[in-house]
Amino acid sequence: MRSPTSSSRSDLVSTIVVGAFGAFTLALGLWAMIDASSFFDEIGHFPPYNNHFVHDVGAFQIGIGAALLFALAWRDDAILVALGGATAAAGAHEIAHIIDADDGGRDSDPFTLGLIAVILLA
């Protein structure tokens, strides 16, 4: 059995690691969404370059980062954490399809992905 001191130290370390990794992952996702070509050149150089694919990578990085940060706020509610991360990813994914409407996909993608995000949020 762990002592209260080691337990609180372990909780502090876990909180720092989850918070730092969540913020880092969220920042990477935002970078990929905001400046896809720079992200591709500096981090994700896996040719051929596809602007929308990098946006999709960013959207799901945002979801992962958000889920990690939500885990700090809602430690006792795994379902809420999972839904929060999925909602963040779905919303960012919808934004990627709106931004990249001329890059292909279906005309219905923004509506469908937006509906998914709203359902997850509800």
Side-chain angles (χ1 to χ4, degrees):
M1 184 165 172
R2 294 189 300 181
S3 71
T5 303
S6 68
S7 179
S8 63
R9 189 175 310 131
S10 174
D11 287 346
L12 176 62
V13 170
S14 296
T15 298
I16 290 169
V17 169
V18 169
F21 190 67
F24 177 72
T25 306
L26 183 64
L28 285 176
L30 290 170
W31 179 13
M33 289 285 292
I34 293 167
D35 191 356
S37 63
S38 169
F39 181 89
F40 177 82
D41 290 341
E42 299 297 325
I43 300 287
H45 192 75
F46 298 100
Y49 175 73
N50 180 305
N51 191 61
H52 181 71
F53 180 73
V54 176
H55 284 156
D56 280 350
V57 168
F60 293 104
Q61 288 290 106
I62 287 170
I64 292 167
L68 288 166
L69 295 175
F70 292 153
L72 296 177
W74 299 305
R75 291 175 187 255
D76 296 330
D77 196 340
I79 292 175
L80 187 59
V81 169
L83 286 172
T87 301
H93 192 204
E94 177 192 14
I95 291 168
H97 276 263
I98 291 169
I99 292 169
D100 300 330
D102 295 336
D103 290 345
R106 296 179 181 90
D107 290 340
S108 63
D109 284 348
F111 172 76
T112 305
L113 295 170
L115 181 61
I116 290 168
V118 168
I119 290 168
L120 288 168
L121 183 61

